[in-house]
């Protein structure tokens, strides 16, 4: 099992090695840095019932990169 600490160490290594890529490419940041952290925390970025990228809301001024949806307990 991969731990949060292991994933964060890998993210740090990637950022140090590829900083210029991440400074200019948001999709690379999302796919290679953010989503591995979400997964190790128990979220499934590929599951729209749990995670929705760029969910727009009429009541909000900005657009969040990710919206994490709470599961309803029955």
């Amino acid at each position: 099992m991969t731990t949060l600490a292991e994933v964060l160490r890998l993210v740090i290594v990637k950022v140090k090695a590829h900083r210029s890529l991440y400074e200019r490419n948001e999709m690379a940041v999302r796919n290679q840095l953010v989503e591995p952290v979400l997964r190790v925390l128990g979220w499934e970025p590929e599951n729209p019932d749990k995670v929705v990228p760029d969910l727009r809301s009429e009541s909000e001024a900005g657009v969040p990169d990710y919206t994490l949806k709470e599961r309803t307990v029955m």
Side-chain angles (χ1 to χ4, degrees), residues 44-64:
E44 300 171 36
E46 61 282 343
N47 183 344
D49 291 327
K50 294 188 177 194
V51 179
V52 180
D54 298 324
L55 182 63
R56 297 183 187 280
S57 169
E58 292 179 20
S59 63
E60 296 179 24
V63 179

Side-chain angles (χ1 to χ4, degrees), residues 3 7 10-11 19 22 28 31 33-34 40 50 52 58 66-67:
T3 67
V7 170
L10 182 58
V11 164
R19 179 177 294 278
Y22 298 132
N31 293 335
L33 305 179
V34 176
V40 78
K50 294 188 177 194
V52 180
E58 292 179 20
Y66 293 90
T67 298

Side-chain angles (χ1 to χ4, degrees), residues 9-59:
R9 277 193 286 277
L10 182 58
V11 164
I12 290 168
V13 168
K14 287 180 181 179
V15 169
K16 287 180 179 179
H18 305 285
R19 179 177 294 278
S20 64
L21 168 66
Y22 298 132
E23 287 176 344
R24 66 182 192 284
N25 188 322
E26 181 179 356
M27 288 309 296
V29 171
R30 288 179 179 213
N31 293 335
Q32 299 169 13
L33 305 179
V34 176
E35 291 179 8
V37 173
L38 288 175
R39 278 188 197 89
V40 78
L41 291 173
W43 295 96
E44 300 171 36
E46 61 282 343
N47 183 344
D49 291 327
K50 294 188 177 194
V51 179
V52 180
D54 298 324
L55 182 63
R56 297 183 187 280
S57 169
E58 292 179 20
S59 63

